[in-house]
Amino acid sequence: ASSCTSCQSGYTTEGLLGSDSEAEDCVICDAGSFVDESGDCTSCAAGSFSASAGSTICDLCTAGHFSSTGQSSCGSCGKNEYSGENAGSCEQCGSGYTTNGNTESESVVACVACAAGSFVDDGDCTSCPAGSYSDSEASTSCVSCDAGTFSNSGSTVCSTCAINTFSASAASACTDCDSGYTTEGATGSDSENDCKACAAGSYVELSGSCIQCDAGFYGSSAAATSCSACAAGKYSGSGSSSCVDCQKNKYSFASASVCSDCESGFTSAPASTAAEDCHVCAAGSFVDPDSGDCVECSAGSFSSVGSTSCRYCPAGSFSQAGASVCTSCSKNRYSDIGASSCTDCQAGYTTQGATGSASLIACIACPAGSFVNTGGDCGTCSPGSFSEVSASTSCSACDAGKFSGVGADSCTQCPKNQFSSSSASSCTSCQSGYTTEGLLGSDSEAEDCVICDAGSFVDESGDCTSCAAGSFSASAGSTICDLCTAGHFSSTGQSSCGSCGKNEYSGENAGSCEQCGSGYTTNGNTESESVVACVACAAGSFVDDGDCTSCPAGSYSDSEASTSCVSCDAGTFSNSGSTVCSTCAINTFSASAASACTDCDSGYTTEGATGSDSENDCKACAAGSYVELSGSCIQCDAGFYGSSAAATSCSACAAGTYSGQGVTACSSCAQNSFSSISATSCSDCETGYTTNGLTGSDDPSDCVVCDAGSYVNNGGICSSCDAGYFSGSASTSCDACPAGQYSGIGAAECTPCGKNLYSGAHASSCNACESGSTTEGAEGSDSVNDCVKCLAGHAVNENGDCVDCSAGSFSDADAATSCTTCDRNTFSAAGSTVCSACPTGETSDAGSEICDKCPPGKMVDNNGDCVDCDAGYYNSDWRSLECFECAVYHYSAAGSSVCTQCPEGEYSVAGSSGCTACPAGSYVTGGEVVECAHCPAGKFSADARSTACTECPDGTDSNPGSTSCTPLLQDRVRQLSGSLRGLALRSDKSGSCPAGHFLDNGECVACVAGTFSTTANSLSCNACAKGLWSPKGSSECFACPAPGQVSYDGVNCSSSDPDTMSKLAKASSGMLKKLVGRFL
C-alpha cells in the first residue's frame, strides 16, 4: 500500500501500530466512553455521558441531572434534591425546605421553606392538622393548642374559646356549655367544670350572664334559658322560682306582679283570673244573713238568682246541693217529693223510655235474648252474645270456639277446621294448609289450627296426608305435592327430591335412580334424565371410580369400554390417553411402563441405535471433542475448546484469548496485544498505543491515548485532572478554571456558574447567593458582590428571579423570598410594599386587588361584612354603614332598599316586616296613633281592613266593637241590665259610680278592657296610651310585665301585634249577657 486508511469515526486500534485489517484491528468505543485526541477510548468523566458506542465526545449532564464516571446517560435529581450543570451528584435541600414535590431541580433556589401553618412531612409541606399550629416557616413539626384554645387545619396561631364554651388541649373546635350554663363572661375555659348553672329564679341572657326573672315571671329550676309567665290567678315578685295564688276576693291576669281587688260587694274564690270572677250569689244559692256569703241550697231543693230561701223538688224530680232548678228523673228511675236523687228500677227492668216517674210501678222486666242497654231501654243481644233469662242486665259473650247471631239465647259450636275467639258472630276458617285435625269448637288459631309438615299436604277432607314416592312438598302448609323432575327421586313423605348421582339416571316422578352398564358413565354428570346419558369410555381410556379416565402415561388401551390399561414394554413409551406405545429414538432409552424416553447424558451417544432399554447403551466423547447431530464424536476447531469429556459442543475462545485445533483451554493475549472472539492468534497494538498494562485485551479500543480531562503521568498511565482543573485530549498537564467557572474531577472543560451562583478561580463548585438575593439573571458571576438583594414590593420566585408581588399581596422588606397575602377588607396593586384599607362602605376578600362597594339593601356591619338589612329596615344608598327603620304604616323584607306602604285597612309599627289587618268591628285610625280602634257604640264595621265605621240605621243600635247593629228591643235589655247593675253598684257605702266606671244615661257601667276612668261618677272612659293595657273596670293603665312586650290593642301584651279585636268584641258581648242574666 502507498498509504494507510483511517479507522471509521468512533473506532480505534487501541494503540496498535501496523494494523493490517479494519475488521480485526479497528474496535468501536463503548457507550459511556469516547475516542480522545490521541485515538484511544476514554471513559466519560463524572457529570457527562455518551449515549451510544462510537462517540467522539461526551455530553455534559444538564442542570437537575447527574452522572458518575463512564455513564451512557444522566440520572434525574429526586424530590428535595438539586444540581447544576455537569454534576456528579445531587445536593439535598436544607431542613424545613422542599422542592414542592418537583424533581430535576436545577439550583438551591428551588428549595423553598414550608409556610407558617404547615410542616415538612415525608418530604412535602403538609398543613398542620386542626388542633395544632406552627408560627414560623420551615417548621418540621406542629405544636398542639393549649386547653381553652382551638385551631383549624393550617393555622399559624390558636384562637381563644369564646364565653360559654370550653376545650381540652389539641382541640379543633370549642364545645358549647350545656343549655342554661355559663362561664360567667370568662373566655378561654379549659374544662366543662367552668360552665356554671344559673340558679332557679334566673336565666341565661344572650351575653352569657345570669339575669333575675322579672316580677310576674318565674324560673322553677336551675340552668334555665328563659323565665315563664305566671298563669292568670297567680303573681310573683322579681327573681321568683314559683308563683303564688291570689287570695280570696282578688284576681290577676297572666304575668301579674300583684293581684287586683274585686269590686266592693262582689266575692271571688282564691286564684281568680279576671274581674268577671267577682260575682253576686248565683241561682242555686241564697244570701246567708249571718255571714253575708253565698250559701248553696241543700240537696232536694233549688233557688233562682238572688234568692233568700230554697224550695223542695216535686215527686219525679231531684236536685243536688246548689241547684237552680230540679231535674226530672231519667228513664228507669223514680223519686218522692224533696228527693236528692232518683231510685233505680230493679236490674233488668225499665220504664220503657218514660222520664219523671213518681213510683216503682213504672218499672217493667226485659225478655230473654235482650238486656237493658246503656240507653236504659230493652236492647236485642248483638251477634256473638246471648241472654238465657228475662230481666237480664247484660248479654253474655259467647265462649271462644262458639258463635251466635242477633237476639240469641244460646251459642253454637264451631265446625271442624274453623275457630273463633270469644264474642264471635261467626267462625273463621284455618289458613290454607292448616287443620284442626278433626277437632270441633276450636277456640284458638295459634293452638288448634296446626300446619301440615313439609312432605305432606291438606287433602280434600281437610286432613294432613304424606306425599307419595316420586313427589314432595317443600314447605309446611302445602295444599298439593309437586312431582320430582327427571334426574331426581324421592321416597314417601319427603320435603324435597334427591339428585341422581354420576352414572345414575331417572325419569319424572321417580322413587329411585337406575345405574349405567359396565364400562359406561355419565361423564361425571349428575341428575341425568335417561339411559341416553350413559356413554362408553373411548379407546385410550378406562372406567375408574365411575368416571372415564385417560390411560396414564406409560400405558394404553386399544378398544372402547375398557376397564383397565396395558403397560408399555422397555425401549418404548406412551403419553396419557394413548392407544399404542412408541419406540425410543437414538441417544435415548426407557424401562417398561415409561411415559417418556430418557436422553443420554450430555456428551453421550447410543452410536445410532434406537429402542435402547438401558442407560448402559449411552457412551461418552473425550475432552477436546463433542457429539454431533449424527451421534458421532468430532474434534474441536482452532479458536474453540472443549474443557471436559462428554461435551455436546465446543466453546469459542473469548475475546482477548486464542487456541489451536482439539485443545481443552484458550490462552490469554499478552500486554499490548488483543483478539476478538474465537481467535486463532492475537494482534499487536499500533506503535505508540498502550493497553495501560492490561493483558488479555479483547478490542482494538483497549489501545488508547489519554482522554480530555486527563493527562499522561510519569508512569505512562492516563490520570484524571483534579476538581477545579481541566484539559484537552493527549495532554501532559491540566489548567486551572478561571473565576466564575468550576469543574469536577476529570473535566475536559470548566462550566460557568448558573444564575444566583458565583465562584473564585480553580473552584470545584459554585456558591449560592444569600436568601432573597439574585445575580439579576446573570450567569458566570465571579464575586459575592454580584448578588443583589430583591427590593421591598418584590420577592424571589421559584425560578430564582426577583419579581413584583402580585396584586392582593405585598412585601415590606428587602430580600423577601415570598409575598404576604392582603387581609380581608384590604387591597393592593402589583409590586406593593403595604396593603391599604378598603374605603368606608366597601369590603374585600383576603388577597384582593380592589374592594367591592356594599349595594343598596345592605350595610357594612361591625365585623366588616356586607350584610342584608334586617326585615323592617332599608337602605337606598351604596357603601352605607347602617340601615334605617321603616316608618309606621310601612314594612320591608330582609335586604330591602325601600319600604312598602301597608294596604288600605292594615297598619304596622315602625320597623315592621309585615302589616296587620284590623278585624271586623274595628278600623284603622291612621295618623301618629298606630292601632286598630273599636267602632264606638252606635256604629259598626262588618268587614276586616275597614278605614271607618258605619252609623247604625234608625231603630237599631250597637255596643263598642260591633260587627253589626241590633234592634232597639235588645238595646232596651242592655239598658235594663245597666240599670240593675247600677242599682247594685249604688248599694255600696259611697252611693256613687266608682272609678273604673262611667255614667251612661244614669246607669253605672264598667269601663271596657283597654280603657279607664280615674274618678267616681265619670261620664266617659279614656283609652289607654299606646303600649299600655287595662282589664275591664280599671281605674288606671299598666305597662306590660314581660321584657320586650307591649300592648297593641290595650288588652293583651305581646312581642308582635296579634289579631285579637274580634275576640275582644265577642268577650264584651258575652259579659253583657252574663250581667243581664245575674239581675233578671
Side-chain angles (χ1 to χ4, degrees):
S2 60
S3 63
C4 294
T5 303
S6 297
C7 290
Q8 298 178 48
S9 175
Y11 284 68
T12 174
T13 60
E14 299 179 315
L16 178 66
L17 302 180
S19 296
D20 58 5
S21 170
E22 179 178 22
E24 294 181 359
D25 298 335
C26 293
V27 180
I28 192 168
C29 291
D30 293 334
S33 65
F34 72 104
V35 178
D36 61 19
E37 292 180 355
S38 63
D40 295 324
C41 291
T42 300
S43 295
C44 291
S48 65
F49 71 99
S50 65
S52 59
S55 296
T56 57
I57 60 170
C58 294
D59 297 312
L60 298 181
C61 290
T62 59
H65 300 79
F66 73 98
S67 72
S68 57
T69 303
Q71 298 300 310
S72 60
S73 63
C74 297
S76 296
C77 289
K79 182 169 68 173
N80 303 338
E81 296 181 338
Y82 66 92
S83 73
E85 191 180 49
N86 196 23
S89 61
C90 299
E91 301 290 336
Q92 291 287 327
C93 291
S95 174
Y97 285 71
T98 77
T99 57
N100 286 326
N102 297 321
T103 59
E104 303 182 357
S105 297
E106 299 179 357
S107 72
V108 71
V109 175
C111 300
V112 294
C114 290
S118 65
F119 70 107
V120 177
D121 181 23
D122 194 22
D124 294 319
C125 291
T126 302
S127 293
C128 288
S132 66
Y133 72 99
S134 68
D135 55 6
S136 60
E137 63 179 21
S139 295
T140 58
S141 62
C142 299
V143 181
S144 294
C145 290
D146 293 333
T149 66
F150 73 98
S151 72
N152 298 318
S153 174
S155 294
T156 60
V157 67
C158 296
S159 302
T160 302
C161 288
I163 61 172
N164 298 348
T165 66
F166 64 92
S167 74
S169 60
S172 61
C174 298
T175 304
D176 290 330
C177 290
D178 289 341
S179 177
Y181 285 69
T182 171
T183 57
E184 301 176 330
T187 60
S189 296
D190 58 8
S191 168
E192 190 173 14
N193 295 332
D194 295 335
C195 299
K196 310 297 183 183
C198 289
S202 64
Y203 68 98
V204 178
E205 69 166 352
L206 294 178
S207 67
S209 301
C210 293
I211 303 298
Q212 272 195 340
C213 294
D214 291 333
F217 290 76
Y218 71 99
S220 60
S221 60
T225 57
S226 63
C227 299
S228 301
C230 288
K234 297 179 180 287
Y235 73 98
S236 73
S238 176
S240 295
S241 61
S242 62
C243 300
V244 181
D245 287 341
C246 289
Q247 298 173 341
K248 179 181 178 182
N249 299 342
K250 290 180 180 286
Y251 67 93
S252 72
F253 298 103
S255 63
S257 58
V258 295
C259 296
S260 301
D261 292 326
C262 288
E263 296 178 15
S264 177
F266 284 71
T267 65
S268 72
S272 293
T273 61
E276 288 75 10
D277 293 339
C278 302
H279 56 81
V280 294
C281 287
S285 66
F286 68 100
V287 178
D288 185 339
D290 296 326
S291 65
D293 293 331
C294 296
V295 178
E296 283 186 337
C297 290
S298 61
S301 65
F302 70 100
S303 72
S304 58
V305 174
S307 296
T308 58
S309 64
C310 300
R311 291 182 292 168
Y312 287 117
C313 291
S317 67
F318 74 99
S319 72
Q320 303 292 331
S324 61
V325 294
C326 294
T327 304
S328 291
C329 290
S330 60
K331 59 186 178 181
N332 304 341
R333 308 187 79 191
Y334 63 94
S335 74
D336 294 327
I337 188 169
S340 61
S341 63
C342 296
T343 303
D344 291 328
C345 289
Q346 298 176 47
Y349 286 71
T350 75
T351 58
Q352 295 183 329
T355 60
S357 298
S359 71
L360 177 64
I361 299 172
C363 300
I364 301 169
C366 291
S370 66
F371 71 106
V372 178
N373 61 22
T374 55
D377 299 317
C378 290
T380 302
C381 289
S382 61
S385 66
F386 71 100
S387 66
E388 293 180 309
V389 296
S390 62
S392 294
T393 58
S394 63
C395 295
S396 301
C398 288
D399 292 335
K402 295 182 178 182
F403 71 99
S404 72
V406 177
D409 57 7
S410 63
C411 299
T412 305
Q413 197 172 40
C414 288
K416 181 173 75 169
N417 295 346
Q418 294 188 8
F419 65 94
S420 72
S421 56
S422 60
S423 304
S425 60
S426 62
C427 297
T428 304
S429 296
C430 291
Q431 297 179 46
S432 176
Y434 285 69
T435 173
T436 59
E437 299 178 319
L439 179 66
L440 301 178
S442 295
D443 59 3
S444 168
E445 181 178 21
E447 295 179 0
D448 297 334
C449 292
V450 179
I451 192 169
C452 290
D453 293 333
S456 65
F457 71 103
V458 179
D459 61 18
E460 294 179 353
S461 66
D463 297 320
C464 294
T465 301
S466 295
C467 291
S471 66
F472 72 101
S473 63
S475 58
S478 296
T479 56
I480 60 170
C481 294
D482 297 312
L483 298 180
C484 291
T485 58
H488 299 79
F489 73 98
S490 72
S491 56
T492 302
Q494 297 302 308
S495 59
S496 63
C497 296
S499 297
C500 289
K502 65 183 179 180
N503 304 339
E504 294 181 339
Y505 65 93
S506 73
E508 189 181 48
N509 196 24
S512 61
C513 299
E514 301 291 335
Q515 292 288 328
C516 290
S518 176
Y520 286 73
T521 75
T522 57
N523 287 326
N525 297 320
T526 59
E527 302 180 356
S528 297
E529 300 179 358
S530 73
V531 71
V532 175
C534 299
V535 294
C537 292
S541 66
F542 71 106
V543 177
D544 181 25
D545 193 23
D547 293 320
C548 287
T549 304
S550 294
C551 287
S555 67
Y556 71 98
S557 70
D558 54 7
S559 61
E560 65 177 16
S562 296
T563 57
S564 63
C565 299
V566 180
S567 296
C568 291
D569 293 333
T572 67
F573 73 98
S574 72
N575 297 319
S576 175
S578 294
T579 59
V580 68
C581 297
S582 304
T583 301
C584 289
I586 60 172
N587 295 345
T588 65
F589 65 92
S590 74
S592 61
S595 60
C597 296
T598 304
D599 290 330
C600 289
D601 289 343
S602 180
Y604 285 72
T605 175
T606 58
E607 300 176 335
T610 61
S612 297
D613 60 6
S614 171
E615 190 175 12
N616 294 330
D617 294 335
C618 299
K619 310 297 181 182
C621 290
S625 64
Y626 68 97
V627 177
E628 70 168 349
L629 293 177
S630 66
S632 301
C633 294
I634 305 298
Q635 200 176 47
C636 292
D637 292 334
F640 290 81
Y641 71 98
S643 60
S644 61
T648 58
S649 63
C650 296
S651 302
C653 288
T657 66
Y658 69 98
S659 75
Q661 187 178 26
V663 300
T664 60
C666 300
S667 302
S668 292
C669 289
Q671 184 176 352
N672 297 338
S673 67
F674 63 91
S675 72
S676 59
I677 191 169
S678 63
T680 59
S681 63
C682 297
S683 302
D684 293 328
C685 291
E686 291 182 12
T687 303
Y689 283 72
T690 177
T691 59
N692 281 327
L694 295 176
T695 61
S697 295
D698 58 3
D699 194 278
S701 62
D702 290 342
C703 302
V704 296
V705 293
C706 291
D707 294 334
S710 66
Y711 66 100
V712 178
N713 65 15
N714 293 334
I717 304 300
C718 296
S719 296
S720 296
C721 293
D722 292 335
Y725 292 81
F726 72 100
S727 72
S729 62
S731 296
T732 58
S733 64
C734 299
D735 298 319
C737 290
Q741 299 184 24
Y742 71 99
S743 73
I745 296 172
E749 59 182 8
C750 298
T751 303
C753 291
K755 65 181 180 182
N756 303 341
L757 300 172
Y758 67 92
S759 74
H762 55 74
S764 61
S765 62
C766 298
N767 300 313
C769 292
E770 291 183 355
S771 176
S773 298
T774 75
T775 57
E776 298 181 323
E779 297 184 350
S781 297
D782 59 8
S783 169
V784 69
N785 295 329
D786 294 334
C787 298
V788 180
K789 288 185 178 179
C790 204
L791 298 179
H794 304 73
V796 178
N797 66 10
E798 60 184 10
N799 295 322
D801 297 319
C802 183
V803 297
D804 285 349
C805 288
S806 61
S809 67
F810 73 99
S811 68
D812 56 3
D814 294 342
T817 57
S818 63
C819 298
T820 303
T821 301
C822 289
D823 291 335
R824 190 169 66 92
N825 294 335
T826 65
F827 69 100
S828 73
S832 294
T833 60
V834 68
C835 296
S836 302
C838 288
T840 301
E842 297 185 13
T843 64
S844 72
D845 294 329
S848 294
E849 181 178 4
I850 59 173
C851 299
D852 298 319
K853 296 177 183 178
C854 198
K858 296 177 178 286
M859 60 169 277
V860 178
D861 65 10
N862 293 335
N863 296 323
D865 294 321
C866 184
V867 298
D868 284 342
C869 290
D870 291 337
Y873 288 75
Y874 76 100
N875 169 45
S876 58
D877 298 324
W878 289 83
R879 302 194 303 187
S880 181
L881 300 182
E882 61 179 326
C883 295
F884 304 96
E885 189 177 57
C886 288
V888 296
Y889 296 105
H890 291 76
Y891 70 96
S892 71
S896 295
S897 59
V898 295
C899 297
T900 304
Q901 188 168 4
C902 290
E904 187 174 81
E906 297 185 12
Y907 72 94
S908 70
V909 297
S912 293
S913 61
C915 299
T916 302
C918 287
S922 66
Y923 67 101
V924 176
T925 59
E928 295 182 359
V929 180
V930 184
E931 63 181 359
C932 295
H934 289 301
C935 288
K939 292 187 177 184
F940 72 100
S941 65
D943 301 316
R945 296 183 175 84
S946 295
T947 57
C949 298
T950 305
E951 293 281 352
C952 285
D954 293 340
T956 65
D957 200 0
S958 70
N959 292 318
S962 294
T963 60
S964 63
C965 298
T966 57
L968 285 175
L969 177 62
Q970 294 184 7
D971 191 54
R972 177 59 185 153
V973 173
R974 180 178 64 81
Q975 293 175 354
L976 176 60
S977 68
S979 298
L980 292 173
R981 182 173 177 86
L983 290 172
L985 290 171
R986 282 193 288 274
S987 68
D988 66 11
K989 293 180 180 179
S990 66
S992 63
C993 189
H997 300 72
F998 73 100
L999 291 171
D1000 182 11
N1001 295 324
E1003 300 162 15
C1004 189
V1005 180
C1007 293
V1008 297
T1011 65
F1012 71 101
S1013 67
T1014 58
T1015 60
N1017 300 321
S1018 295
L1019 298 179
S1020 64
C1021 298
N1022 301 313
C1024 288
K1026 179 180 178 181
L1028 301 180
W1029 72 283
S1030 72
K1032 180 179 178 181
S1034 182
S1035 62
E1036 61 179 313
C1037 296
F1038 305 96
C1040 290
Q1045 288 191 336
V1046 295
S1047 178
Y1048 289 91
D1049 55 11
V1051 179
N1052 297 295
C1053 292
S1054 67
S1055 56
S1056 61
D1057 188 5
D1059 187 8
T1060 58
M1061 293 300 185
S1062 60
K1063 295 180 182 177
L1064 290 172
K1066 292 178 181 178
S1068 298
S1069 175
M1071 287 306 301
L1072 178 60
K1073 291 177 181 179
K1074 289 181 182 178
L1075 183 59
V1076 172
R1078 290 173 182 170
F1079 288 102
L1080 293 181

